[in-house]
Amino acid sequence: MSAATRLRRLDEERQIIVVERGEHVSFANCGLPYHVSGTIASRDSLLLQTPAALAQRFRLDVRVHTEAVAIDRAARTITLRDVATGTETSQRFDTLVLSPGATPNTPAALAGDARVHTLRDVADLDRIMESLAATVEDAPLQNAVVLGGGYIGVELAENLVARGLSVTIVQRGPQLLSPLDAEMAAPFADHVVESGVALRLGVEVTAGDAESLTLSDGSVLPADLVFSAIGVRPASGLAAESGLALGPHGGILVDELHRTSDPAIFAVGDVAEKTDAATGEPRLLPLAGLANRHGRAVADTIAGLGSSLPATPSPRALGTAIVGFRGLTAASTGWNERELRAQGRPVRVMHSHPLSHAGYYPGAQMLSIKLIVDPASDRILGAQAVGRDGVDKRIDVIATAMSAGLSASALADLELAYAPQYGSAKDPVNLLGYLNRNRAAGTDATLQWHELEAALDSGAFLLDVRAPGQLAEGLIPGATHIPVEQLRERHHELPAGRIVVHCRVGQGAHTAARLLRNLGHDVVNLDGGYLTWRDAQRAHAIRDNSPVSTPTPEGATR
């Protein structure tokens, strides 16, 4: 609909036909989970336009309950089938835009199970609401199982909990929210569990009966309702049958103007593969913002065909996304460290834990932010953030910087709005720029949490420079504690050789590292401090469904 309405605004004379297999042509799909809980009370508020309204305002020929079943590229015709009657007709086209979206995946073990729901459109939502209103022997449905721990799965779980159901998330992978790295996802997973959701990681459904599901580890879950949110696959069958080229991930292959291998046919939305901003390779990114923008871009290109107006390529895709769960927010843009290292790419990584606004102003909340940079070019490759306040604007600023081609060091110089209730004079985004400049200049050598064990095995000395009152949070095993304020007088107590220094978040350790280096010591800073290390340990414990323990303050070496 973005393509159709934009094209009408650009061209009043063109005949524009919209074909939709279902009933609804313009609805707020991202708002669907929030009607499940009643947060969005009215279903009708999710319906943005009707065929009649679109015809009246935009003179669009909108044909619902009509399926496109074949494309004759040579004749420039498309075969349409009336869903109700099965009657087929042939429609000629000059230009064709394909936007059939994607098809939800469901486990093979649950094929045909009436309890299993997906959530992609209003019809899916209606079926879910009918099931939630149903009773079994006069008792309300109580146990819901959500398959998949991605954005949709988390949103469904949040709204099912708000509705009063007992909810379990089953995730085949080792963590929630796979776009995040493990140490960033762990606090979010803890919050989900603390909110009453049971979390099962590293397992999948192998069988089901009328009342339960059996998992791959042999455990059995009660399940009145099952929601499949294990991803989607591009609905590219029609394109493939017509001979259009597909990309490596099964979506329709398009160029920078969203043209398919046939110049008269375009493809946008979840069915089309996007060009990734970091790698330049095709990638599937089923995101609403990209779909809307690309639909508009296609209309601009079509309106300019045959004219002297230059077509404008769409920017490469970052994959910026955000999700919330009962007050906690997680967001990401670009690639994560895990994926980049798997590709063999060198990375420079920074973790920080700043406050959402000035600490002296009431209500400041701690953020966890991660920035990933190409060490050779200083190009930003990705970022992640988790927190209760200010996550969205920090990720949006970084995504904007990435789109503009700004370097990671340039983040330090961004002039961002500041008042105590909104931020700090040195915004968390600025601080990332400062951290990166120090790393790039070699003035702050760092070690990542997953590199610490190897460093200690090689003989490094672990130094904890936190304030004494901060030790109650826990200790990294083997650390010796000397507060940063005492280092000048006590640095002679430190052994020769490499010293790994850490504080709570990294800032105090940076001061300590600079001091000790100036006094002749070989020092490296544990990036992100104790909090990042702790979150990484929590990630392992959550994955293994086992409690994590860290030494008590009594075990510290003074």
Side-chain angles (χ1 to χ4, degrees):
M1 295 313 308
S2 294
T5 54
R6 171 67 173 173
L7 186 55
R8 173 58 71 222
R9 290 191 292 271
L10 296 172
D11 188 336
E12 181 58 30
E13 302 304 320
R14 191 183 300 263
Q15 182 186 15
I16 304 173
I17 300 171
V18 179
V19 175
E20 166 58 40
R21 179 172 53 188
E23 179 182 357
H24 304 98
V25 291
S26 183
F27 60 92
N29 56 334
C30 295
L32 297 178
Y34 300 95
H35 182 59
V36 171
S37 63
T39 300
I40 297 176
S42 173
R43 169 189 179 276
D44 290 345
S45 64
L46 297 169
L47 306 178
L48 306 180
Q49 292 282 0
T50 65
L54 290 164
Q56 183 176 23
R57 172 169 288 195
F58 295 103
R59 198 170 62 83
L60 299 178
D61 180 357
V62 180
R63 305 177 188 180
V64 296
H65 301 299
T66 303
E67 183 179 10
V69 295
I71 302 170
D72 187 331
R73 291 166 50 198
R76 292 287 185 256
T77 61
I78 186 165
T79 301
L80 305 179
R81 177 185 296 157
D82 186 300
V83 173
T85 66
T87 302
E88 293 187 356
T89 58
S90 180
Q91 174 64 54
R92 184 185 176 281
F93 66 85
D94 296 304
T95 307
L96 180 64
V97 180
L98 297 177
S99 183
T103 303
N105 296 322
T106 55
L110 299 179
D113 193 325
R115 292 172 302 167
V116 180
H117 293 274
T118 58
L119 184 55
R120 290 286 287 175
D121 57 29
V122 177
D124 288 341
L125 177 64
D126 290 342
R127 285 189 288 269
I128 289 172
M129 299 307 290
E130 289 172 5
S131 294
L132 289 171
T135 59
V136 179
E137 297 180 357
D138 298 324
L141 301 173
Q142 294 182 337
N143 298 300
V145 177
V146 177
L147 307 179
Y151 295 117
I152 299 299
V154 166
E155 290 174 349
L156 272 169
E158 178 188 32
N159 285 279
L160 291 167
V161 167
R163 195 178 174 93
L165 276 74
S166 175
V167 180
T168 300
I169 295 177
V170 176
Q171 167 73 346
R172 181 173 58 182
Q175 65 175 70
L176 281 184
L177 302 180
S178 60
L180 304 184
D181 286 309
E183 76 279 13
M184 299 298 292
F188 197 93
D190 274 337
H191 176 71
V192 168
V193 172
E194 290 164 3
S195 299
V197 175
L199 186 59
R200 299 299 310 278
L201 300 175
V203 293
E204 55 188 323
V205 174
T206 57
D209 59 29
E211 297 179 348
S212 65
L213 299 178
T214 300
L215 304 184
S216 54
D217 63 354
S219 60
V220 178
L221 297 177
D224 298 320
L225 284 174
V226 181
F227 298 85
S228 182
I230 57 175
V232 297
R233 59 188 184 278
S236 54
L238 179 63
E241 291 167 6
S242 66
L244 296 176
L246 301 186
H249 308 289
I252 301 175
L253 192 64
V254 297
D255 65 11
E256 70 276 5
L257 298 176
H258 311 286
R259 291 176 301 200
T260 69
S261 53
D262 186 325
I265 303 177
F266 296 78
V268 294
D270 295 356
V271 75
E273 299 200 0
K274 319 298 188 294
T275 301
D276 183 76
T279 67
E281 299 295 324
R283 184 182 181 189
L284 288 176
L285 289 169
L287 297 171
L290 288 173
N292 277 279
R293 288 196 297 279
H294 292 169
R296 179 185 175 93
V298 160
D300 290 350
T301 299
I302 293 172
L305 291 176
S307 74
S308 60
L309 296 175
T312 303
S314 290
R316 293 182 174 186
L318 298 173
T320 307
I322 191 167
V323 67
F325 189 99
R326 299 176 78 86
L328 192 68
T329 302
S332 65
T333 187
W335 288 83
N336 60 44
E337 181 185 3
R338 179 185 67 253
E339 294 165 328
L340 290 166
R341 289 190 184 275
Q343 296 170 18
R345 297 191 60 165
V347 293
R348 181 163 62 233
V349 177
M350 283 139 287
H351 294 82
S352 67
H353 300 274
L355 294 177
S356 56
H357 61 248
Y360 58 81
Y361 190 90
Q365 300 281 340
M366 178 172 285
L367 300 169
S368 293
I369 307 179
K370 181 174 185 175
L371 187 71
I372 307 165
V373 179
D374 184 319
S377 65
D378 208 35
R379 180 184 177 192
I380 305 171
L381 299 176
Q384 303 158 43
V386 178
R388 290 188 171 274
D389 183 38
V391 166
D392 53 344
K393 74 174 181 177
R394 271 64 190 220
I395 285 294
D396 283 345
V397 168
I398 296 172
T400 302
M402 293 172 71
S403 295
L406 298 182
S407 69
S409 295
L411 297 178
D413 299 322
L414 292 179
E415 185 177 345
L416 304 174
Y418 161 61
Q421 65 270 46
Y422 299 110
S424 300
K426 295 177 182 177
D427 189 85
V429 174
N430 298 135
L431 292 176
L432 290 171
Y434 296 140
L435 286 173
N436 181 72
R437 281 182 176 174
N438 287 338
R439 309 283 172 85
T443 58
D444 188 14
T446 60
L447 194 73
Q448 291 301 311
W449 63 266
H450 51 78
E451 300 169 326
L452 177 61
E453 183 176 358
L456 297 181
D457 289 344
S458 298
F461 179 81
L462 183 59
L463 176 63
D464 183 342
V465 298
R466 288 177 293 171
Q470 294 176 329
L471 300 182
E473 289 185 313
L475 304 172
I476 300 178
T480 294
H481 177 244
I482 302 176
V484 64
E485 292 81 6
Q486 299 178 19
L487 281 178
R488 285 185 178 85
E489 291 73 28
R490 299 180 58 186
H491 76 95
H492 61 276
E493 300 176 19
L494 301 176
R498 169 146 291 199
I499 298 171
V500 178
V501 62
H502 84 84
C503 63
R504 186 169 187 260
V505 299
Q507 185 175 3
H510 170 67
T511 299
R514 296 300 302 155
L515 185 157
L516 291 174
R517 189 172 292 111
N518 289 336
L519 292 172
H521 294 276
D522 177 13
V523 187
V524 64
N525 186 351
L526 182 62
D527 180 60
Y530 174 79
L531 292 187
T532 296
W533 179 88
R534 180 196 64 186
D535 290 343
Q537 307 315 301
R538 283 296 306 148
H540 291 305
I542 295 167
R543 179 195 61 196
D544 298 335
N545 290 314
S546 59
V548 64
S549 60
T550 54
T552 62
E554 287 73 18
T557 302
R558 301 284 177 159

